[in-house]
Amino acid sequence: MTARSPRRPSVALRPTAIGALAVAGALLLTACGDQTNEADAKKSKDSGSSAAAAPLADLLPEDVKAKGVVKVGSDIAYAPVEFKDDSGKTAGIDPDLADALGKQLGVKFEFETGTFDTLLTGLRSGRYDIAMSAMTDTKDRQEGVDSDTGKKVGEGVDFVDYFTAGVSIYTKKGDDKGIKTWADLCGKKLVVQRGTVSEDLAKAESKKCGKGKKITLEAFDNDQQAQTRLRAGGADAGSSDFPVAAYAVKTSGGGNDFQLVGEQVEAAPYGIAVAKDDAKLRDAIKAALDAVIKSGEYQKILDKWGASEGAVTEAVINGGK
């Protein structure tokens, strides 16, 4: 904002002066209009170029295409699927796949962090457009049912499945406490991330244990907290999805902190969660994922993160059971 000038005495203007001012004003407005139109034209041209470079842009809902952004809810503490690298940048399988999807659709996928057990609530409330966070596609989540109580807790979501992973148990290295299977966890203390399939499995297994031999379960907001607890000797074992457990075993303490025990169980698809009333966005993401798989970029991303054994050959909608 410019400073106001002191008020000057009014002066009668001659007709010729008024005409000159009118012409000057018209020229000024025309010049401004030309600059605005040129800027709008350039912006439109840039958008057109971006759309032309994105073969599947027209599949998106108009509001998403106009924003140019897909807001992604994610628990960014689950390496190697999604995590903050040493520079603070969001990295991992999901961010890399999201970048590849964005190139197909002509939009940017922006990750916003949240605790895992609140992501679907955030999706339903409109805080996120999708949730992408190593989330297992299950019938309960599709239908909005609480796995623990069996009660309906909200509207379900649709999933676009993009990876397959089982659940693994890991212990401190050289100290497996005799744990080889889930049944061996009876009478032991297990750490997990809250709201995960690992937590559901532990609760189900504990009900099978003999009297006085239940599994003591401690659930945390994220998997890194659970790993810290186990590393410090505060539990007998931890459990998480296989690629996450394997990554922790490989990297924590230079590979000296943890070891995998037994085989992974309950192999199931990871899905990108989309609101039930957003079928157009869901179908656009499926088409983009199929294109990324077909191009070979998908396999390169999984190879980069050592997760190739979880690869799928096509995207599937609501393939979880």
Side-chain angles (χ1 to χ4, degrees):
M1 181 183 293
T2 56
R4 290 181 179 176
S5 302
R7 183 179 294 275
R8 297 182 179 181
S10 58
V11 179
L13 297 175
R14 295 179 182 178
T16 53
I18 294 174
L21 285 174
V23 171
L27 289 171
L28 181 60
L29 289 173
T30 301
C32 290
D34 288 345
Q35 291 172 2
T36 301
N37 291 339
E38 286 175 8
D40 288 344
K42 184 178 185 302
K43 183 177 180 182
S44 177
K45 184 178 180 182
D46 289 344
S47 298
S49 298
S50 176
L56 302 179
D58 287 342
L59 298 181
L60 285 170
E62 288 302 322
D63 60 329
V64 175
K65 194 192 301 186
K67 287 187 305 182
V69 170
V70 174
K71 293 183 294 182
V72 184
S74 187
D75 170 31
I76 308 175
Y78 210 54
V81 187
E82 53 263 316
F83 64 102
K84 296 287 187 181
D85 65 16
D86 292 340
S87 68
K89 179 184 176 183
T90 301
I93 297 169
D94 281 358
D96 283 357
L97 283 176
D99 285 345
L101 295 176
K103 290 173 185 175
Q104 292 290 328
L105 296 168
V107 292
K108 182 178 181 182
F109 283 64
E110 290 185 351
F111 280 69
E112 298 181 17
T113 190
T115 54
F116 185 80
D117 57 343
T118 65
L119 295 181
L120 294 186
T121 302
L123 175 62
R124 287 191 288 262
S125 70
R127 179 178 177 183
Y128 314 122
D129 296 311
I130 65 173
M132 189 175 186
S133 191
M135 185 175 290
T136 302
D137 173 4
T138 67
K139 284 293 183 185
D140 284 346
R141 286 172 175 158
Q142 293 171 25
E143 297 169 1
V145 172
D146 185 300
S147 298
D148 209 19
T149 64
K151 294 181 179 178
K152 183 88 170 173
V153 292
E155 186 180 7
V157 297
D158 284 335
F159 286 98
V160 180
D161 299 338
Y162 65 100
F163 187 77
T164 300
V167 177
S168 293
I169 302 168
Y170 59 99
T171 66
K172 291 186 73 173
K173 192 165 187 177
D175 188 17
D176 65 13
K177 306 288 186 182
I179 298 168
K180 301 296 182 187
T181 69
W182 280 81
D184 295 331
L185 290 169
C186 292
K188 304 287 197 307
K189 184 174 183 179
L190 180 72
V191 289
V192 298
Q193 180 177 354
R194 187 178 296 109
T196 60
V197 172
S198 289
E199 184 179 25
D200 294 341
L201 283 174
K203 288 177 178 178
E205 190 64 43
S206 188
K207 292 175 183 178
K208 304 175 188 176
C209 297
K211 191 174 181 180
K213 285 261 194 176
K214 300 295 183 186
I215 299 171
T216 301
L217 187 62
E218 189 171 5
F220 294 86
D221 283 343
N222 63 60
D223 200 66
Q224 291 175 352
Q225 293 170 345
Q227 290 176 26
T228 298
R229 183 71 160 166
L230 177 59
R231 194 182 296 112
D236 298 303
S239 175
S240 58
D241 293 353
F242 171 74
V244 178
Y247 189 81
V249 167
K250 180 180 179 180
T251 61
S252 182
N256 295 314
D257 286 345
F258 304 127
Q259 66 183 34
L260 291 170
V261 294
E263 300 293 328
Q264 60 175 312
V265 300
E266 299 289 323
Y270 282 174
I272 300 169
V274 186
K276 285 285 189 186
D277 61 358
D278 214 349
K280 190 166 185 179
L281 177 58
R282 177 201 67 196
D283 293 346
I285 289 173
K286 181 192 183 304
L289 182 56
D290 279 331
V292 172
I293 292 171
K294 186 177 180 180
S295 72
E297 183 67 16
Y298 171 83
Q299 191 63 51
K300 289 178 183 178
I301 291 169
L302 296 190
D303 289 344
K304 170 184 173 181
W305 295 105
S308 59
E309 63 186 81
V312 298
T313 56
E314 64 177 338
V316 174
I317 293 176
N318 294 334
K321 306 206 184 294

